[in-house]
Amino acid sequence: MAEFSEQLLPPWRRAVLKVGSSLLAADGGGLSPRNAQALAGFVSACTAAGREVVLVSSGAVAAGRAIVHADTAVDAPIAERQALAALGQAQLIAFWQGFFARPVAQVLLTHDDLRNRRRYLNARATLSALLRQRVLPVVNENDTVSVDELKLGDNDTLAAIVAALVDAEVLFIATDIDGLYDADPRRNPQARPVEVVARFSAELLSVAGGAGSASGTGGMRTKLDAAQRAAAAGIATVLFNGTRADVLEALARDRLRGTRVHPVRSRMAARKHWLQNAPAEPGGLAVDAGAADAMIEKGASLLPGGVLAVSGDFRRGDMVEVSLREADGDRRIARGVSQYSAADIRRIARRHSREIEAILGYNYGGTVIHRDDLVLL
């Protein structure tokens, strides 16, 4: 079977690393450090280089299975798998903490958390705060309460969504083979490496195949599906062999021996497209000339002090229109995701950001619309 050649990765600042159960499960049950040690070393090397990594880790069910010595099948009743996940979550976070001197934080999410705009904003704010404090977030699905998400490829998809959530430049997916091949390398010794994926096709997805390992729920097809989702958000994906320490050491130096999936457009273009085209709630915000100039000329966020009037009854996380109030009427200049509800903004309009908590009793940040969630029209 042909080997992957080495390719140079472009610079990156923030990444998501997805690690599946097949890399963590011990032969006799539970979690094994056999592959995790090198994976943690990769994360530490990236951190030492001034980069940020969010870890999306499977393994809770495998850890729980070992505690009660259960032999639960993949198609077992969901309550049984949820019970194992509940047992294993604490074991999983303690397992990862053992490899790092810095704190490790558990973040449990469901797909619903990331589809709902208000919960999406809360999750993003939490992860951003953890990264600022140099804490390693370990993200997993909240399998103890999820129903739809305990299914094939769940954490591959979750990792792609988290990559977009934290504005990552790259999604690293650790597998137990060297990367994508043009045929199944376990069945066909003539399979050739696919080192670069520039576009997706039905043929490519069919080559990726289906089922994953006995320990996990995903296969190469689910990883390509996740890569396709990430590519649409402007995020590159890297598939590599997480069982090989030499591959991980090289990867920390931006040398890849695996498959690189190119994004279909830049992150900025993908984000701008969504902001421009997502449906907006009725009503919006009218701002003064100073706030408009700051947004247009300096790319600044919209602060509460610049808001003159609020219309409609939108909620935190909704898309709203922003208009400049002029003598002859309001002129639409921007749109973005509101950090506060219409009712809240009416109370803090024309006030300084530092007064928000005193007025509302809580604080989602000093901006009404953050510049990362704002697009000019």
Side-chain angles (χ1 to χ4, degrees):
M1 185 168 59
E3 290 282 331
F4 281 79
S5 61
E6 189 172 274
Q7 55 180 305
L8 183 65
L9 292 179
W12 57 272
R13 178 186 60 89
R14 180 178 291 175
V16 169
L17 169 63
K18 188 268 177 177
V19 179
S21 296
S22 64
L23 297 177
L24 301 180
D27 293 337
L31 302 174
S32 167
R34 183 177 62 250
N35 300 315
Q37 183 75 56
L39 290 160
F42 166 70
V43 174
S44 295
C46 293
T47 303
R51 292 166 163 174
E52 297 174 334
V53 178
V54 175
L55 179 61
V56 174
S57 177
S58 302
V61 173
R65 186 181 292 121
I67 294 173
V68 295
H69 307 290
D71 187 18
T72 307
V74 173
D75 59 351
I78 193 166
E80 291 187 23
R81 286 178 286 151
Q82 288 176 322
L84 293 178
L87 277 168
Q89 288 290 359
Q91 298 289 323
L92 179 64
I93 200 70
F95 174 77
W96 281 116
Q97 181 65 82
F99 297 106
F100 299 98
R102 62 186 173 123
V104 168
Q106 183 182 55
V107 180
L108 296 177
L109 299 172
T110 66
H111 288 181
D112 283 341
D113 291 326
L114 303 175
R115 282 194 291 260
N116 181 288
R117 287 301 303 173
R118 286 164 290 285
R119 283 149 65 179
Y120 180 98
L121 288 175
N122 291 341
R124 187 172 70 173
T126 298
L127 289 166
S128 296
L130 290 171
L131 291 171
R132 283 196 304 272
Q133 295 169 20
R134 297 182 60 80
V135 174
L136 173 64
V138 178
V139 181
N140 199 355
E141 284 196 283
N142 195 353
D143 290 342
T144 60
V145 298
S146 297
V147 175
D148 296 333
E149 285 72 25
L150 275 176
K151 61 182 182 181
L152 184 67
D154 53 334
N155 270 2
D156 292 320
T157 301
L158 179 64
I161 297 172
V162 170
L165 178 73
V166 300
D167 292 325
E169 289 94 350
V170 59
L171 167 61
F172 292 106
I173 299 182
T175 74
D176 53 7
I177 59 174
D178 290 342
L180 178 65
Y181 290 83
D182 64 358
D184 187 342
R186 292 163 178 164
R187 300 178 181 177
N188 184 353
Q190 304 303 315
R192 294 173 299 175
V194 178
E195 297 187 337
V196 176
V197 175
R199 64 181 183 86
F200 291 87
S201 64
E203 180 182 6
L204 177 70
L205 295 174
S206 67
V207 164
S213 68
S215 300
T217 56
M220 187 56 71
R221 173 58 187 267
T222 69
K223 290 165 177 55
L224 270 191
D225 288 342
Q228 190 170 21
R229 180 188 289 267
I235 301 167
T237 297
V238 168
L239 306 172
F240 67 95
N241 194 331
T243 70
R244 293 180 54 179
D246 60 324
V247 169
L248 283 156
E249 290 170 3
L251 195 60
R253 304 190 308 272
D254 293 331
R255 268 70 178 175
L256 168 66
R257 292 200 294 276
T259 300
R260 178 182 170 198
V261 182
H262 289 286
V264 296
R265 52 189 169 187
S266 71
R267 286 189 308 132
M268 185 176 296
R271 181 72 172 163
K272 185 175 181 180
H273 180 269
W274 180 82
L275 289 168
Q276 286 177 330
N277 293 282
E281 292 298 310
L285 306 173
V287 302
D288 61 24
D293 287 344
M295 289 187 290
I296 295 170
E297 301 297 332
K298 301 176 183 178
S301 301
L302 175 60
L303 304 179
V307 178
L308 296 174
V310 183
S311 60
D313 190 28
F314 54 85
R315 296 176 295 174
R316 167 172 159 79
D318 285 342
M319 181 69 68
V320 297
E321 306 282 357
V322 180
S323 299
L324 171 60
R325 178 143 293 179
E326 298 177 314
D328 57 350
D330 293 349
R331 176 167 59 89
R332 197 166 62 105
I333 60 169
R335 68 201 317 260
V337 178
S338 180
Q339 296 286 333
Y340 293 89
S341 68
D344 285 345
I345 299 174
R346 289 187 178 98
R347 296 174 63 192
I348 62 175
R350 311 303 291 163
R351 306 296 286 268
H352 197 281
S353 296
R354 64 172 171 262
E355 299 178 80
I356 292 175
E357 187 155 2
I359 296 170
L360 300 179
Y362 48 86
N363 188 339
Y364 293 129
T367 64
V368 171
I369 301 178
H370 193 275
R371 63 186 179 186
D372 292 343
D373 296 324
L374 184 73
V375 63
L376 300 174
L377 302 177

